[in-house]
């Protein structure tokens, strides 16, 4: 019994979810739009750091926008060498990392708020907070404190959105295409980065505040689109189950599955969600507010389905994704490309790398359901290791700036693009998919929040230390930093091999059984043998389903 309503489900493991319909695709696709926030902010900040006007604003160094360089380009610093015309490493670090710092706290708070007011309203609140942060950044001129505070506040909004969008999508996406649907979030991140680079490329030569204010201001559009659209989408049915509102859960589930509320498909899926929640509440009781947070860290590390093991998996996945070094390119690409010495238009090269990111990601929609999560992580991580070590090797030999070898630099750019492509198809989307799959309903919102916060924590660390690692005024590693990223990718692949289970084609409830019954290395061969409804003795007499209203995609109706 849940919420005063008796629900009964099926013992048939193939009938725990309604067939896939186009409505589910459309709802998830719109929710994935939240990735635009993450990607766009990553893209515009990297470009703004290299803008002449922005550098002048915060350093006082002057710039001649009309100077003819004799190679078809215009503009040169006044009274200072080109290589010295940049923001100090400390300032680059502060501006870049502050948004990630805000998102760290935003993700933690957003995961908590989502259990009180719902997934949908939390995302809308994130849009409003994000807008406040954008206003503060636009209002600043050379006021570093106001700009940094605006970055922090906007980061809080992005944290709300990044954590809860993954939670929302995972809870409403059909199991057969959940990986592909959640991968759409990563695709939107790549689109956001590309859009930002296009805008920055168009404004980077402006000799006024519009150079950086236009890229910032465009972000209001993303907030309006996502916030308005969510007013018309349903709440997550699993949120209603967690709150004991079974009638509302049935209504929401019927909407996203495209079935009538009295459909046997809806009844069976709802019963499975309720039974799983009641089972997990016996394992992870909700004693108090503090207890609900501490529940994420209970249990034994040796048990695959214990809360602490799942939290380790979720936070570890996000940490390993960031340690691949991918955001080094997107945060500091223009600055790094300028250091290579032979690239005249660093903004154009940044656009090329982001275009590679966008065009590669859609392949993950098919591969993540065809090959599975583990295969993508292991194969993609191995490819990144090879590409990054090649970039590092070229960078310390023929690609050195003093060697002035354009061909070698072009080869480095090519392997950087190959590295980005491997990430875009594998670690980029798959890390988000796994975080959305591994937590049981009683701790799912907080578990996803903690895991997303881990992403932003390590994002912050990378944002803080990278300018010091590659800055000419600091460690000056330059291309040698790719040896570091390649080595950390080895750690990521090892983590995936020993700790990441294969959850392809399983419902969120079946994923719980999988992690409880087999080790990650044997999970690909695991098949569900019974349902949670059977486990909790909440079953009805089996009968053929005859009242489904829409044909499933890619299969015949039962």
């Amino acid at each position: 019994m849940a919420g005063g309503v008796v629900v009964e489900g099926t013992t048939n493991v193939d009938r725990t979810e309604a067939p896939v319909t186009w409505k589910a695709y459309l709802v998830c696709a719109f929710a994935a739009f939240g990735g635009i926030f993450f990607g766009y902010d990553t893209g515009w900040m990297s470009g703004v750091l290299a803008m002449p006007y922005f550098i002048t604003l915060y350093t006082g160094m002057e710039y001649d926008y009309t100077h003819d360089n004799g190679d078809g380009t215009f503009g040169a610093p006044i009274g200072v060498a080109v290589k010295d015309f940049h923001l100090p490493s400390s300032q680059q670090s502060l501006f870049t990392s502050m948004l990630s710092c805000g998102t760290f706290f935003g993700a933690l708070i957003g995961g908590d708020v989502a259990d009180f007011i719902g997934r949908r309203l939390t995302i809308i609140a994130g849009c409003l907070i994000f807008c406040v942060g954008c206003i503060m950044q636009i209002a600043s001129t050379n006021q570093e404190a106001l700009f940094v505070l605006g970055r922090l506040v906007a980061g809080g909004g992005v944290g709300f959105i990044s954590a809860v969008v993954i939670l929302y999508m995972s809870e409403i996406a059909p199991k057969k295409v959940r990986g592909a649907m959640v991968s759409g979030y990563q695709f939107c991140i790549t689109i956001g980065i590309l859009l930002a680079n296009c805008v920055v490329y168009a404004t980077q030569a402006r000799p006024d505040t519009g150079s950086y204010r236009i890229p910032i201001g465009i972000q209001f559009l993303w907030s309006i689109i996502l916030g308005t659209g969510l007013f018309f989408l349903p709440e997550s049915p699993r949120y209603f189950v967690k709150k004991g509102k079974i009638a509302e859960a049935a209504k929401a589930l019927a909407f996203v599955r495209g079935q009538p509320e009295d459909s046997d498909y809806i009844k069976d899926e709802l019963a499975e969600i309720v039974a799983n929640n009641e089972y997990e509440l016996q394992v992870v009781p909700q004693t108090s507010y503090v207890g609900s947070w501490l529940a994420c860290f209970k249990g034994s590390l040796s048990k695959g389905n214990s809360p602490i093991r799942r939290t380790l998996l979720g936070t570890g996945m996000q940490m390993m994704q960031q340690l691949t070094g991918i955001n080094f390119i997107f945060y500091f690409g223009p600055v790094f490309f300028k250091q290579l010495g032979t690239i005249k238009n660093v903004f154009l090269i940044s656009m090329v790398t982001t275009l590679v990111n966008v065009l590669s990601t859609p392949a993950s929609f098919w591969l993540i359901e065809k090959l599975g999560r583990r295969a993508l992580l292991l194969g993609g991580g191995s490819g990144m290791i090879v590409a990054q070590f090649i970039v590092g090797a070229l960078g310390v030999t023929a690609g050195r700036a003093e060697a002035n070898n354009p061909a070698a630099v072009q080869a480095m750019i090519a392997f950087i693009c190959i590295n980005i492509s491997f990430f875009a198809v594998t670690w980029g989307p798959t890390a988000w998919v796994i975080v959305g799959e591994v937590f049981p309903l009683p701790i799912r919102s907080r578990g996803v929040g903690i895991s997303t916060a881990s992403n932003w924590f390590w994002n912050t660390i990378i944002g803080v230390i990278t300018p010091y690692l590659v800055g000419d005024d600091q460690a000056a590693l330059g291309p040698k930093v790719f040896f570091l990223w390649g080595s950390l990718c080895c750690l990521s692949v090892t983590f995936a091999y020993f700790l990441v289970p294969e959850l392809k084609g399983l419902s969120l409830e079946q994923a719980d059984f999988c992690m409880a019954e087999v080790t990650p290395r044997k999970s690909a061969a695991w098949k569900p043998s019974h349902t949670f409804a059977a486990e909790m003795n909440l079953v009805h007499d089996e009968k053929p389903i005859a009242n489904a209203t829409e044909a499933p995609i890619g299969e015949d109706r039962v």
Side-chain angles (χ1 to χ4, degrees):
M1 179 178 293
V5 178
V6 176
V7 291
E8 293 182 334
T10 178
T11 59
N12 186 343
V13 296
D14 296 322
R15 276 176 43 172
T16 58
E17 186 174 279
V20 183
T21 65
W22 284 111
K23 183 174 287 187
Y25 278 109
L26 294 175
V27 172
C28 288
F30 186 83
F33 187 80
I36 293 284
F37 287 80
F38 182 172
Y40 188 89
D41 198 273
T42 299
W44 78 256
M45 193 68 243
S46 65
V48 164
L49 289 176
M51 283 183 176
Y53 185 86
F54 196 77
I55 294 173
T56 298
L57 193 66
Y58 285 96
T59 65
M61 292 186 287
E62 296 183 355
Y63 192 84
D64 182 1
Y65 293 87
T66 61
H67 182 273
D68 189 346
N69 296 316
D71 56 3
T73 63
F74 293 86
I78 300 173
V80 63
V82 173
K83 67 181 182 65
D84 296 324
F85 186 72
H86 56 75
L87 293 173
S89 296
S90 58
Q91 209 162 30
Q92 292 184 40
S93 172
L94 179 64
F95 288 167
T96 304
S97 62
M98 194 50 60
L99 180 121
S100 299
C101 181
T103 51
F104 169 79
F105 292 105
L108 286 176
I109 297 170
D112 195 26
V113 172
D115 264 358
F116 288 98
I117 66 174
R119 286 52 165 147
R120 190 173 61 94
L121 290 179
T122 303
I123 298 173
I124 293 172
C127 292
L128 296 175
I129 295 171
F130 180 78
C131 287
V132 173
C134 287
I135 291 171
M136 296 172 70
Q137 292 173 79
I138 292 173
S140 67
T141 49
N142 62 342
Q143 299 164 290
E144 183 175 304
L146 182 59
F147 187 82
V148 169
L149 184 58
R151 295 281 290 166
L152 184 67
V153 173
V158 174
F160 268 51
I161 296 164
S162 61
V164 185
V165 162
I166 291 298
L167 175 64
Y168 181 73
M169 292 179 67
S170 298
E171 291 190 337
I172 64 176
K175 63 181 181 182
K176 292 182 180 179
V177 293
R178 186 176 60 247
M181 291 290 94
V182 178
S183 295
Y185 177 77
Q186 176 67 22
F187 183 51
C188 285
I189 291 176
T190 67
I191 292 176
I193 296 174
L194 178 61
L195 289 173
N197 275 268
C198 291
V199 174
V200 166
Y201 184 75
T203 66
Q204 48 96 12
R206 289 177 63 105
D208 55 36
T209 59
S211 58
Y212 70 92
R213 281 176 168 165
I214 291 173
I216 297 173
I218 286 177
Q219 295 177 109
F220 287 112
L221 181 61
W222 318 142
S223 297
I224 293 170
I225 293 173
L226 183 63
T228 303
L230 279 167
F231 274 109
F232 302 98
L233 294 184
E235 181 54 80
S236 163
R238 287 177 168 87
Y239 164 74
F240 283 131
V241 168
K242 181 178 175 63
K243 290 296 186 180
K245 299 178 180 179
I246 305 305
E248 288 91 336
K251 184 177 181 179
L253 189 61
F255 181 92
V256 297
R257 296 292 183 256
Q259 306 288 342
E261 289 183 46
D262 60 352
S263 164
D264 289 329
Y265 276 123
I266 299 302
K267 293 176 181 178
D268 286 344
E269 183 173 357
L270 182 60
E272 187 69 0
I273 296 171
V274 170
N276 171 253
N277 185 52
E278 293 186 355
Y279 174 84
E280 293 293 351
L281 284 173
Q282 295 176 0
V283 179
V284 190
Q286 305 291 286
T287 55
S288 64
Y289 175 75
V290 174
S292 65
W293 276 102
L294 295 178
C296 296
F297 304 96
K298 290 183 177 180
S300 170
L301 285 173
S302 63
K303 294 184 178 180
N305 68 329
S306 68
I308 191 171
R309 179 70 174 268
R310 299 183 199 222
T311 301
L312 173 65
L313 176 57
T315 56
M317 276 303 304
Q318 293 297 333
M319 177 180 74
M320 295 302 167
Q321 186 203 57
Q322 289 303 303
L323 293 184
T324 60
I326 192 67
N327 279 334
F328 164 71
I329 297 298
F330 297 128
Y331 279 146
F332 301 103
V335 177
F336 172 74
F337 295 142
K338 186 183 292 184
Q339 290 179 333
L340 297 180
T342 64
I343 299 177
K344 293 184 173 62
N345 194 331
V346 296
F347 291 95
L348 181 61
I349 298 301
S350 290
M351 284 186 62
V352 171
T353 58
T354 56
L355 187 61
V356 169
N357 196 24
V358 171
L359 296 178
S360 300
T361 303
S364 67
F365 299 171
W366 180 73
L367 290 173
I368 200 166
E369 300 298 355
K370 179 68 175 179
L371 302 180
R373 285 64 162 151
R374 284 176 58 85
L376 286 191
L377 293 175
L378 297 176
S382 300
M384 292 176 70
I385 291 169
V386 173
Q388 289 174 343
F389 279 133
I390 290 176
V391 173
L394 286 170
V396 298
T397 54
R400 291 176 295 117
E402 54 268 28
N404 194 29
N405 188 335
V409 172
Q410 290 171 7
M412 291 172 65
I413 298 300
F415 277 101
I416 286 173
C417 290
I418 291 172
N419 175 66
I420 291 171
S421 185
F422 273 117
F423 176 87
V425 177
T426 61
W427 276 87
T430 307
W432 293 109
V433 171
I434 290 171
V435 164
E437 293 178 332
V438 299
F439 293 99
L441 185 55
I443 63 169
R444 183 170 296 141
S445 64
R446 289 181 173 85
V448 172
I450 292 171
S451 299
T452 306
S454 172
N455 178 290
W456 291 111
F457 173 81
W458 289 100
N459 205 311
T460 303
I461 297 298
I462 291 171
V464 169
I465 68 172
T466 300
Y468 294 98
L469 293 176
V470 300
D472 291 331
D473 57 341
Q474 300 293 333
L477 291 180
K480 287 182 284 193
V481 75
F482 280 92
F483 288 125
L484 172 63
W485 304 136
S487 299
L488 290 173
C489 266
C490 294
L491 182 62
S492 298
V493 170
T494 303
F495 179 91
Y497 180 76
F498 287 105
L499 294 177
V500 177
E502 181 55 71
L503 304 177
K504 179 187 71 170
L506 302 179
S507 69
L508 295 179
E509 289 69 39
Q510 290 169 343
D512 288 350
F513 276 137
C514 177
M515 289 185 286
E517 295 180 6
V518 296
T519 63
R521 283 179 289 173
K522 297 180 180 179
S523 57
W526 183 87
K527 301 294 181 185
S529 59
H530 62 292
T531 65
F532 270 104
E535 183 94 5
M536 301 299 293
N537 295 315
L538 297 173
V539 296
H540 57 61
D541 294 333
E542 296 297 331
K543 59 182 178 180
I545 295 180
N547 58 347
T549 61
E550 297 184 37
I553 296 170
E555 63 178 65
D556 295 328
R557 178 71 66 188
V558 175

